[in-house]
Amino acid sequence: MTIEAVWPWLWAVGGLLSGSFLNVMIHRWPLMLAADLEDAEHEAHARQLTLACPRSHCPHCHAPLTVLQLIPVLSFVWLRGRCGHCRQPIAWRYPAVELLNTAWWLWCGLALPAWLAPIPLPGAMVGLPGVHNWGPSLAWSLWGSAVLALAWIDWDSTWLPDGLTQPLVWGGLVAAGLGWSGLPLPQALAGAVLGYLSLWSVATGFEWVTGQEGMGGGDFKLLAALGAWCGPMLLIPLVLMASVLGLLVGVVLRARGQLRDGRYIPFGPFLIGAAVALRLGLDRLIQTAWGVS
Ligand SMILES: [Zn+2]
């Protein structure tokens, strides 16, 4: 069997397995953070919680999942969306996260190297053409998984854990240094610094004028991370798109009375949605429109 024949399967399996782990992160990270803040309500349960322990179990009957029940997506289909033990329904978000993540990994593994290659940036891709150009594919696959988890955690809890945003900044700089992100290292550095400072200055100005906190510090680190991967040129369209999207969703939620009391609409999912849209080809359109290459 040639490497070309197994290549798509490698990315499909990688996406399913990492997607399964993302579900654990999305579910447990906010509980672990709440325990760190000694939130009394969560404390007793969450104290011993880590990403690895205890084993995955049904949230209703707490029966641990068997090896077969841990198989991503397929077990959901096989069990027709219900716990194999107590028959309570399993939330649709578990297979949704796994499928989204797998689609992204497949796109990165099969289409991305060819997609990145024509971008006439200095410091072009290092590596061989075609399927052996695994560096950019792996780098962007992991990026996608990290931002998918961040978007979901932020939406659920309005937290953007440092444990994810900070490695994403460093990862962007390393990937640029290796020629894997398609971005020259100076641009990745500029993107990270400008990403952080732009939101930080807006938030500090807002706080200074109104005396209220308008944005969480996690948003600065997230935009630093996105800047390290997408470059400084895309920061302005990224923030603009995210603001418009966030405003629209906020208006709809308010009209339907679904706005959560005293909690801001998290900005992270919109920043991430805009970054994914840019990576999927909107960046190419913007660069053409601006005459930047
Ligand atoms: Zn159960």
Side-chain angles (χ1 to χ4, degrees):
M1 212 182 331
T2 61
I3 180 78
E4 280 81 3
V6 290
W7 191 253
W9 295 100
L10 287 177
W11 296 97
V13 170
L16 284 171
L17 292 180
S18 56
S20 180
F21 182 63
L22 288 190
N23 275 321
V24 176
M25 286 194 352
I26 291 166
H27 180 67
R28 291 189 186 177
W29 213 310
L31 293 174
M32 286 156 52
L33 286 174
D36 283 346
L37 292 175
E38 301 196 61
D39 185 330
E41 190 187 332
H42 291 108
E43 207 175 359
H45 170 58
R47 269 279 171 229
Q48 303 90 18
L49 206 61
T50 69
L51 290 182
C53 274
R55 275 182 56 195
S56 296
H57 53 76
C58 167
H60 302 289
C61 66
H62 301 284
L65 301 187
T66 64
V67 174
L68 282 180
Q69 286 167 355
L70 279 170
I71 299 173
V73 184
L74 286 183
S75 66
F76 186 85
V77 176
W78 175 250
L79 293 164
R80 293 197 199 88
R82 287 173 185 281
C83 167
H85 196 72
C86 67
R87 307 305 295 161
Q88 288 286 322
I90 303 168
W92 58 269
R93 59 189 291 167
Y94 293 108
V97 165
E98 287 160 359
L99 283 174
L100 267 177
N101 190 60
T102 306
W104 178 263
W105 275 59
L106 277 170
W107 185 77
C108 290
L110 302 182
L112 188 80
W115 179 244
L116 278 177
I119 298 181
L121 288 170
M125 322 291 298
V126 179
L128 299 165
V131 295
H132 302 293
N133 199 350
W134 54 272
S137 297
L138 185 63
W140 280 101
S141 294
L142 294 172
W143 176 87
S145 294
V147 297
L148 184 62
L150 278 169
W152 226 295
I153 292 172
D154 195 21
W155 183 258
D156 280 349
S157 67
T158 69
W159 269 320
L160 288 164
D162 284 353
L164 274 171
T165 51
Q166 287 176 355
L168 208 54
V169 178
W170 293 113
L173 298 179
V174 171
L178 292 169
W180 286 358
S181 67
L183 204 64
L185 185 55
Q187 285 201 31
L189 269 170
V193 172
L194 289 173
Y196 189 90
L197 287 181
S198 56
L199 277 194
W200 174 83
S201 53
V202 169
T204 308
F206 181 85
E207 213 178 314
W208 189 63
V209 172
T210 65
Q212 288 178 331
E213 198 185 329
M215 216 181 306
D219 290 316
F220 317 153
K221 289 170 218 161
L222 175 63
L223 196 60
L226 297 179
W229 286 84
C230 300
M233 299 301 290
L234 290 178
L235 283 175
I236 293 171
L238 206 154
V239 172
L240 279 179
M241 277 171 61
S243 305
V244 172
L245 274 173
L247 204 64
L248 285 175
V249 171
V251 167
V252 170
L253 284 182
R254 175 162 291 183
R256 296 169 65 178
Q258 290 173 338
L259 213 55
R260 286 169 284 191
D261 294 339
R263 292 175 89 179
Y264 314 104
I265 298 182
F267 195 36
F270 302 106
L271 285 173
I272 287 164
V276 170
L278 288 169
R279 183 71 285 166
L280 283 171
L282 212 59
D283 55 346
R284 208 66 65 80
L285 285 175
I286 290 170
Q287 282 167 350
T288 313
W290 282 3
V292 184
S293 61

